[in-house]
Amino acid sequence: MTVGRPCACGCGARVARKGRSGPAPQYASAACRVRALRARRAVAEMVPLPEVVRAAPVIAPGRPVPEQVQRGLLEARALGFAFQRLGREAPAALGWRCTRLGVAIVAAIRDSFGEDAL
């Protein structure tokens, strides 16, 4: 049986608490601490490109509500699949997050609207 909690860097190692007092350790090693720092910096440096933000389609509020819902579902579905694709192509520090987000988006659509929405 393994003890401790998973390392905060996502490497899969278990971090055991050495004493009863003080904060629980988050990382298995110094290398894990550096890996997590680099991953946080990489995510913090991501900034949306202005041309991508401007080109994003917007659901027209004047349209009938069922049509807006259908358009929103199509956009959310495309976003979920795009994040899953990015999860396969992105570096490991970012890829697992993209995959997890993409799977969660698709699962939420399936849970809320059924298989027919996919």
Side-chain angles (χ1 to χ4, degrees):
M1 180 174 141
T2 59
V3 294
R5 59 188 230 184
C7 183
C9 78
C11 69
R14 304 298 287 187
V15 182
R17 188 176 193 130
K18 293 181 175 64
R20 290 182 177 243
S21 62
Q26 294 183 351
Y27 305 103
S29 67
C32 291
R33 185 175 287 109
V34 171
R35 185 180 307 117
L37 174 66
R38 289 180 179 159
R40 284 192 306 271
R41 284 183 180 164
V43 171
E45 291 173 0
M46 293 176 29
V47 186
L49 300 173
E51 60 271 9
V52 173
V53 173
R54 278 195 304 261
V58 177
I59 299 173
R63 307 298 301 168
V65 172
E67 185 179 320
Q68 292 181 49
V69 170
Q70 183 180 20
R71 176 72 184 259
L73 281 172
L74 289 173
E75 291 178 12
R77 177 179 170 255
L79 190 61
F81 290 138
F83 271 108
Q84 289 181 25
R85 180 186 54 78
L86 287 170
R88 291 187 301 272
E89 298 172 2
L94 198 55
W96 70 270
R97 291 177 175 92
C98 292
T99 300
R100 187 172 72 176
L101 178 60
V103 168
I105 291 171
V106 172
I109 294 170
R110 183 178 294 120
D111 292 346
S112 298
F113 295 96
E115 286 289 330
D116 295 339
L118 297 175

